[in-house]
Amino acid sequence: QVQLVESGGGSVQAGGSLRLSCAASTYTNDCMGWFRQAPGKGRESVATIDRDGNINYADSVKGRFTISKDNAKNILYLQMNSLKPEDTDVYYCAAGPVLSVSGNCFFAYWGQGTQVTVSS
């Protein structure tokens, strides 16, 4: 069982920056990622990183957000720059294994979420 605890959310004006952190209770070397969800909407993948270091970003955040991982400390980060009001959401950290059959990530573990609010 992996426990994930996010921190770093808050309120910022458009154009500002925030850095989210996700502390994992155990070493996770498969898949980790950041997702976001607004009330009444589905959960969206923001950025993911797998054990080989392959990174995927949502088109809406490319060039503005950077995902990184400190394996020694079991911490996942999301640096968010040039924030826009449409980035306002609850951001969730997730982790899980790579499925042997498909090679895809399966995000089995989720944090409690941290609110990011961007005002115009």
Short mmCIF file of all heavy atoms in Angstrom, two decimals, residues 10-61:
data_model
loop_
_atom_site.label_atom_id
_atom_site.label_comp_id
_atom_site.label_asym_id
_atom_site.label_seq_id
_atom_site.Cartn_x
_atom_site.Cartn_y
_atom_site.Cartn_z
N GLY A 10 -2.51 26.37 -3.46
CA GLY A 10 -2.82 27.68 -2.92
C GLY A 10 -3.45 28.57 -3.95
O GLY A 10 -3.91 28.10 -5.00
N SER A 11 -3.46 29.85 -3.66
CA SER A 11 -4.05 30.84 -4.56
C SER A 11 -2.96 31.72 -5.12
O SER A 11 -2.05 32.14 -4.41
CB SER A 11 -5.07 31.69 -3.80
OG SER A 11 -6.14 30.90 -3.33
N VAL A 12 -3.08 32.01 -6.41
CA VAL A 12 -2.07 32.83 -7.08
C VAL A 12 -2.75 33.60 -8.21
O VAL A 12 -3.81 33.16 -8.72
CB VAL A 12 -0.93 31.93 -7.62
CG1 VAL A 12 -1.44 31.00 -8.70
CG2 VAL A 12 0.24 32.75 -8.10
N GLN A 13 -2.19 34.70 -8.58
CA GLN A 13 -2.72 35.46 -9.71
C GLN A 13 -2.23 34.87 -11.02
O GLN A 13 -1.18 34.20 -11.07
CB GLN A 13 -2.31 36.92 -9.59
CG GLN A 13 -3.03 37.66 -8.47
CD GLN A 13 -2.80 39.15 -8.55
OE1 GLN A 13 -1.73 39.60 -8.98
NE2 GLN A 13 -3.78 39.92 -8.12
N ALA A 14 -2.98 35.13 -12.06
CA ALA A 14 -2.60 34.65 -13.39
C ALA A 14 -1.18 35.12 -13.72
O ALA A 14 -0.80 36.26 -13.44
CB ALA A 14 -3.58 35.17 -14.43
N GLY A 15 -0.41 34.20 -14.30
CA GLY A 15 0.98 34.48 -14.62
C GLY A 15 1.95 34.05 -13.53
O GLY A 15 3.17 34.02 -13.76
N GLY A 16 1.41 33.71 -12.37
CA GLY A 16 2.25 33.30 -11.26
C GLY A 16 2.65 31.84 -11.33
O GLY A 16 2.35 31.13 -12.30
N SER A 17 3.34 31.40 -10.27
CA SER A 17 3.87 30.04 -10.23
C SER A 17 3.55 29.38 -8.89
O SER A 17 3.39 30.06 -7.87
CB SER A 17 5.40 30.06 -10.40
OG SER A 17 5.77 30.58 -11.65
N LEU A 18 3.46 28.07 -8.94
CA LEU A 18 3.33 27.26 -7.74
C LEU A 18 4.09 25.96 -7.97
O LEU A 18 4.24 25.52 -9.11
CB LEU A 18 1.85 26.90 -7.46
CG LEU A 18 0.94 27.98 -6.88
CD1 LEU A 18 -0.49 27.47 -6.83
CD2 LEU A 18 1.39 28.41 -5.50
N ARG A 19 4.55 25.37 -6.88
CA ARG A 19 5.17 24.06 -6.98
C ARG A 19 4.44 23.10 -6.05
O ARG A 19 4.38 23.32 -4.84
CB ARG A 19 6.66 24.09 -6.63
CG ARG A 19 7.33 22.74 -6.94
CD ARG A 19 8.82 22.75 -6.70
NE ARG A 19 9.16 22.58 -5.30
CZ ARG A 19 10.34 22.13 -4.86
NH1 ARG A 19 11.26 21.78 -5.75
NH2 ARG A 19 10.58 22.02 -3.57
N LEU A 20 3.91 22.05 -6.63
CA LEU A 20 3.25 21.02 -5.86
C LEU A 20 4.25 19.92 -5.52
O LEU A 20 5.14 19.60 -6.32
CB LEU A 20 2.08 20.41 -6.63
CG LEU A 20 1.02 21.38 -7.13
CD1 LEU A 20 -0.10 20.60 -7.83
CD2 LEU A 20 0.47 22.23 -6.02
N SER A 21 4.08 19.34 -4.34
CA SER A 21 4.91 18.21 -3.92
C SER A 21 4.01 17.05 -3.52
O SER A 21 2.90 17.26 -3.03
CB SER A 21 5.79 18.60 -2.73
OG SER A 21 6.66 19.65 -3.06
N CYS A 22 4.51 15.86 -3.71
CA CYS A 22 3.78 14.65 -3.33
C CYS A 22 4.77 13.71 -2.67
O CYS A 22 5.69 13.21 -3.33
CB CYS A 22 3.16 14.01 -4.56
SG CYS A 22 2.41 12.39 -4.25
N ALA A 23 4.58 13.50 -1.39
CA ALA A 23 5.45 12.61 -0.63
C ALA A 23 4.84 11.21 -0.60
O ALA A 23 3.68 11.04 -0.19
CB ALA A 23 5.64 13.13 0.79
N ALA A 24 5.61 10.23 -1.04
CA ALA A 24 5.15 8.85 -1.06
C ALA A 24 5.69 8.10 0.16
O ALA A 24 6.83 8.31 0.56
CB ALA A 24 5.61 8.16 -2.34
N SER A 25 4.85 7.23 0.72
CA SER A 25 5.25 6.52 1.94
C SER A 25 6.30 5.45 1.68
O SER A 25 7.04 5.07 2.57
CB SER A 25 4.02 5.88 2.59
OG SER A 25 3.40 4.97 1.71
N THR A 26 6.32 4.95 0.46
CA THR A 26 7.31 3.95 0.11
C THR A 26 7.91 4.27 -1.24
O THR A 26 7.38 5.11 -1.98
CB THR A 26 6.70 2.53 0.07
OG1 THR A 26 5.67 2.52 -0.94
CG2 THR A 26 6.11 2.14 1.41
N TYR A 27 8.96 3.60 -1.57
CA TYR A 27 9.62 3.84 -2.85
C TYR A 27 8.70 3.40 -3.99
O TYR A 27 8.17 2.31 -3.98
CB TYR A 27 10.92 3.06 -2.92
CG TYR A 27 11.65 3.20 -4.23
CD1 TYR A 27 12.13 4.44 -4.65
CD2 TYR A 27 11.86 2.11 -5.06
CE1 TYR A 27 12.80 4.58 -5.84
CE2 TYR A 27 12.53 2.24 -6.25
CZ TYR A 27 13.01 3.47 -6.64
OH TYR A 27 13.66 3.60 -7.83
N THR A 28 8.53 4.30 -4.93
CA THR A 28 7.68 3.99 -6.09
C THR A 28 8.53 4.20 -7.34
O THR A 28 8.92 5.31 -7.65
CB THR A 28 6.44 4.90 -6.14
OG1 THR A 28 6.86 6.26 -6.11
CG2 THR A 28 5.53 4.63 -4.95
N ASN A 29 8.81 3.14 -8.03
CA ASN A 29 9.66 3.30 -9.21
C ASN A 29 8.94 2.97 -10.50
O ASN A 29 9.57 2.89 -11.54
CB ASN A 29 10.90 2.41 -9.09
CG ASN A 29 10.53 0.93 -9.08
OD1 ASN A 29 9.39 0.57 -8.87
ND2 ASN A 29 11.49 0.08 -9.35
N ASP A 30 7.66 2.81 -10.44
CA ASP A 30 6.91 2.54 -11.66
C ASP A 30 6.33 3.85 -12.22
O ASP A 30 7.05 4.60 -12.86
CB ASP A 30 5.83 1.50 -11.41
CG ASP A 30 6.39 0.09 -11.43
OD1 ASP A 30 7.61 -0.04 -11.63
OD2 ASP A 30 5.63 -0.86 -11.26
N CYS A 31 5.09 4.09 -11.97
CA CYS A 31 4.45 5.26 -12.55
C CYS A 31 4.00 6.23 -11.46
O CYS A 31 3.47 5.81 -10.44
CB CYS A 31 3.22 4.84 -13.35
SG CYS A 31 3.56 3.66 -14.65
N MET A 32 4.21 7.48 -11.72
CA MET A 32 3.66 8.52 -10.86
C MET A 32 3.15 9.64 -11.75
O MET A 32 3.61 9.81 -12.89
CB MET A 32 4.71 9.07 -9.89
CG MET A 32 5.18 8.05 -8.87
SD MET A 32 6.07 8.82 -7.49
CE MET A 32 4.70 9.51 -6.54
N GLY A 33 2.21 10.39 -11.23
CA GLY A 33 1.66 11.45 -12.06
C GLY A 33 0.81 12.42 -11.28
O GLY A 33 0.50 12.22 -10.11
N TRP A 34 0.46 13.49 -11.97
CA TRP A 34 -0.43 14.52 -11.45
C TRP A 34 -1.68 14.57 -12.32
O TRP A 34 -1.61 14.55 -13.55
CB TRP A 34 0.25 15.88 -11.46
CG TRP A 34 1.35 16.01 -10.47
CD1 TRP A 34 2.69 15.86 -10.70
CD2 TRP A 34 1.23 16.31 -9.08
NE1 TRP A 34 3.40 16.03 -9.55
CE2 TRP A 34 2.52 16.31 -8.53
CE3 TRP A 34 0.14 16.57 -8.23
CZ2 TRP A 34 2.76 16.58 -7.18
CZ3 TRP A 34 0.37 16.82 -6.90
CH2 TRP A 34 1.67 16.82 -6.38
N PHE A 35 -2.80 14.63 -11.64
CA PHE A 35 -4.10 14.73 -12.31
C PHE A 35 -4.85 15.90 -11.69
O PHE A 35 -4.51 16.36 -10.60
CB PHE A 35 -4.90 13.44 -12.11
CG PHE A 35 -4.27 12.23 -12.75
CD1 PHE A 35 -3.16 11.62 -12.18
CD2 PHE A 35 -4.77 11.72 -13.93
CE1 PHE A 35 -2.56 10.52 -12.78
CE2 PHE A 35 -4.19 10.61 -14.54
CZ PHE A 35 -3.08 10.02 -13.96
N ARG A 36 -5.86 16.38 -12.39
CA ARG A 36 -6.66 17.46 -11.82
C ARG A 36 -8.12 17.25 -12.16
O ARG A 36 -8.46 16.60 -13.15
CB ARG A 36 -6.19 18.83 -12.31
CG ARG A 36 -6.30 19.07 -13.81
CD ARG A 36 -5.63 20.39 -14.18
NE ARG A 36 -5.75 20.69 -15.60
CZ ARG A 36 -5.15 21.72 -16.20
NH1 ARG A 36 -4.38 22.56 -15.49
NH2 ARG A 36 -5.30 21.92 -17.49
N GLN A 37 -8.96 17.82 -11.31
CA GLN A 37 -10.39 17.64 -11.49
C GLN A 37 -11.13 18.84 -10.93
O GLN A 37 -10.91 19.25 -9.79
CB GLN A 37 -10.86 16.36 -10.78
CG GLN A 37 -12.33 16.03 -11.00
CD GLN A 37 -12.68 14.66 -10.45
OE1 GLN A 37 -12.01 14.12 -9.58
NE2 GLN A 37 -13.76 14.08 -10.97
N ALA A 38 -12.00 19.40 -11.74
CA ALA A 38 -12.87 20.49 -11.30
C ALA A 38 -14.22 19.89 -10.91
O ALA A 38 -14.59 18.82 -11.40
CB ALA A 38 -13.04 21.51 -12.42
N PRO A 39 -14.98 20.56 -10.05
CA PRO A 39 -16.30 20.05 -9.64
C PRO A 39 -17.19 19.77 -10.85
O PRO A 39 -17.32 20.60 -11.75
CB PRO A 39 -16.86 21.18 -8.78
CG PRO A 39 -15.66 21.87 -8.24
CD PRO A 39 -14.64 21.79 -9.36
N GLY A 40 -17.76 18.58 -10.88
CA GLY A 40 -18.68 18.23 -11.97
C GLY A 40 -17.99 17.80 -13.25
O GLY A 40 -18.67 17.52 -14.25
N LYS A 41 -16.68 17.73 -13.23
CA LYS A 41 -15.95 17.33 -14.44
C LYS A 41 -15.14 16.08 -14.16
O LYS A 41 -14.88 15.71 -13.02
CB LYS A 41 -15.03 18.47 -14.89
CG LYS A 41 -15.77 19.72 -15.35
CD LYS A 41 -14.81 20.74 -15.94
CE LYS A 41 -15.54 21.96 -16.46
NZ LYS A 41 -14.60 22.97 -17.05
N GLY A 42 -14.70 15.45 -15.24
CA GLY A 42 -13.88 14.26 -15.11
C GLY A 42 -12.45 14.60 -14.73
O GLY A 42 -12.02 15.74 -14.83
N ARG A 43 -11.74 13.58 -14.27
CA ARG A 43 -10.36 13.77 -13.87
C ARG A 43 -9.47 13.77 -15.12
O ARG A 43 -9.59 12.92 -15.98
CB ARG A 43 -9.94 12.65 -12.92
CG ARG A 43 -8.63 12.89 -12.22
CD ARG A 43 -8.47 11.95 -11.05
NE ARG A 43 -9.39 12.29 -9.96
CZ ARG A 43 -9.41 11.64 -8.80
NH1 ARG A 43 -8.58 10.63 -8.58
NH2 ARG A 43 -10.26 11.99 -7.87
N GLU A 44 -8.57 14.74 -15.18
CA GLU A 44 -7.70 14.93 -16.34
C GLU A 44 -6.26 14.65 -15.97
O GLU A 44 -5.78 15.10 -14.93
CB GLU A 44 -7.83 16.38 -16.83
CG GLU A 44 -6.87 16.76 -17.94
CD GLU A 44 -6.83 18.25 -18.23
OE1 GLU A 44 -7.24 19.03 -17.34
OE2 GLU A 44 -6.42 18.63 -19.32
N SER A 45 -5.56 13.94 -16.83
CA SER A 45 -4.14 13.71 -16.63
C SER A 45 -3.39 14.99 -16.97
O SER A 45 -3.55 15.55 -18.06
CB SER A 45 -3.65 12.57 -17.51
OG SER A 45 -2.25 12.44 -17.43
N VAL A 46 -2.56 15.46 -16.06
CA VAL A 46 -1.77 16.67 -16.27
C VAL A 46 -0.36 16.31 -16.73
O VAL A 46 0.13 16.81 -17.74
CB VAL A 46 -1.70 17.51 -14.98
CG1 VAL A 46 -0.80 18.73 -15.18
CG2 VAL A 46 -3.10 17.94 -14.55
N ALA A 47 0.30 15.44 -15.98
CA ALA A 47 1.66 15.03 -16.30
C ALA A 47 1.94 13.70 -15.62
O ALA A 47 1.55 13.51 -14.48
CB ALA A 47 2.67 16.08 -15.84
N THR A 48 2.62 12.82 -16.35
CA THR A 48 2.98 11.52 -15.77
C THR A 48 4.43 11.20 -16.10
O THR A 48 4.99 11.69 -17.09
CB THR A 48 2.08 10.39 -16.31
OG1 THR A 48 2.23 10.32 -17.73
CG2 THR A 48 0.62 10.63 -15.97
N ILE A 49 5.02 10.38 -15.24
CA ILE A 49 6.39 9.95 -15.45
C ILE A 49 6.48 8.48 -15.08
O ILE A 49 5.93 8.05 -14.06
CB ILE A 49 7.38 10.80 -14.63
CG1 ILE A 49 8.82 10.38 -14.89
CG2 ILE A 49 7.06 10.75 -13.13
CD1 ILE A 49 9.85 11.36 -14.32
N ASP A 50 7.14 7.67 -15.93
CA ASP A 50 7.24 6.25 -15.61
C ASP A 50 8.65 5.91 -15.14
O ASP A 50 9.52 6.78 -15.03
CB ASP A 50 6.80 5.40 -16.81
CG ASP A 50 7.77 5.48 -17.99
OD1 ASP A 50 8.92 5.93 -17.82
OD2 ASP A 50 7.36 5.07 -19.10
N ARG A 51 8.89 4.65 -14.89
CA ARG A 51 10.15 4.23 -14.29
C ARG A 51 11.33 4.40 -15.23
O ARG A 51 12.47 4.42 -14.79
CB ARG A 51 10.06 2.77 -13.84
CG ARG A 51 9.74 1.79 -14.95
CD ARG A 51 9.50 0.41 -14.41
NE ARG A 51 9.01 -0.52 -15.44
CZ ARG A 51 8.60 -1.75 -15.18
NH1 ARG A 51 8.61 -2.21 -13.95
NH2 ARG A 51 8.17 -2.52 -16.15
N ASP A 52 11.07 4.52 -16.51
CA ASP A 52 12.13 4.76 -17.48
C ASP A 52 12.38 6.26 -17.71
O ASP A 52 13.21 6.61 -18.54
CB ASP A 52 11.79 4.09 -18.81
CG ASP A 52 11.72 2.58 -18.68
OD1 ASP A 52 12.52 2.01 -17.91
OD2 ASP A 52 10.85 1.97 -19.34
N GLY A 53 11.62 7.08 -16.98
CA GLY A 53 11.79 8.52 -17.14
C GLY A 53 10.99 9.12 -18.27
O GLY A 53 11.16 10.30 -18.61
N ASN A 54 10.12 8.31 -18.88
CA ASN A 54 9.27 8.84 -19.96
C ASN A 54 8.21 9.75 -19.36
O ASN A 54 7.54 9.39 -18.40
CB ASN A 54 8.61 7.70 -20.72
CG ASN A 54 9.62 6.81 -21.40
OD1 ASN A 54 10.49 7.28 -22.11
ND2 ASN A 54 9.53 5.50 -21.18
N ILE A 55 8.05 10.92 -19.93
CA ILE A 55 7.14 11.94 -19.41
C ILE A 55 6.09 12.28 -20.45
O ILE A 55 6.41 12.41 -21.64
CB ILE A 55 7.92 13.21 -19.00
CG1 ILE A 55 8.82 12.91 -17.80
CG2 ILE A 55 6.95 14.34 -18.68
CD1 ILE A 55 9.73 14.07 -17.42
N ASN A 56 4.87 12.42 -19.99
CA ASN A 56 3.78 12.88 -20.84
C ASN A 56 3.08 14.06 -20.19
O ASN A 56 2.82 14.04 -18.98
CB ASN A 56 2.77 11.75 -21.08
CG ASN A 56 3.31 10.71 -22.03
OD1 ASN A 56 3.53 10.97 -23.20
ND2 ASN A 56 3.54 9.51 -21.53
N TYR A 57 2.79 15.05 -20.98
CA TYR A 57 2.07 16.23 -20.51
C TYR A 57 0.77 16.40 -21.29
O TYR A 57 0.70 16.08 -22.48
CB TYR A 57 2.90 17.50 -20.71
CG TYR A 57 4.13 17.62 -19.86
CD1 TYR A 57 5.39 17.38 -20.39
CD2 TYR A 57 4.03 17.98 -18.52
CE1 TYR A 57 6.52 17.50 -19.61
CE2 TYR A 57 5.17 18.10 -17.73
CZ TYR A 57 6.41 17.86 -18.28
OH TYR A 57 7.53 17.98 -17.51
N ALA A 58 -0.22 16.93 -20.61
CA ALA A 58 -1.42 17.35 -21.32
C ALA A 58 -1.05 18.51 -22.23
O ALA A 58 -0.18 19.34 -21.88
CB ALA A 58 -2.49 17.78 -20.33
N ASP A 59 -1.68 18.58 -23.38
CA ASP A 59 -1.36 19.66 -24.33
C ASP A 59 -1.55 21.04 -23.68
O ASP A 59 -0.82 21.98 -23.98
CB ASP A 59 -2.25 19.54 -25.57
CG ASP A 59 -1.86 18.37 -26.45
OD1 ASP A 59 -0.73 17.87 -26.31
OD2 ASP A 59 -2.69 17.96 -27.28
N SER A 60 -2.51 21.14 -22.79
CA SER A 60 -2.84 22.42 -22.19
C SER A 60 -1.77 22.95 -21.24
O SER A 60 -1.78 24.14 -20.90
CB SER A 60 -4.17 22.33 -21.44
OG SER A 60 -4.10 21.33 -20.44
N VAL A 61 -0.84 22.10 -20.82
CA VAL A 61 0.18 22.54 -19.86
C VAL A 61 1.59 22.45 -20.42
O VAL A 61 2.55 22.86 -19.75
CB VAL A 61 0.10 21.73 -18.55
CG1 VAL A 61 -1.31 21.77 -17.99
CG2 VAL A 61 0.58 20.30 -18.73
#
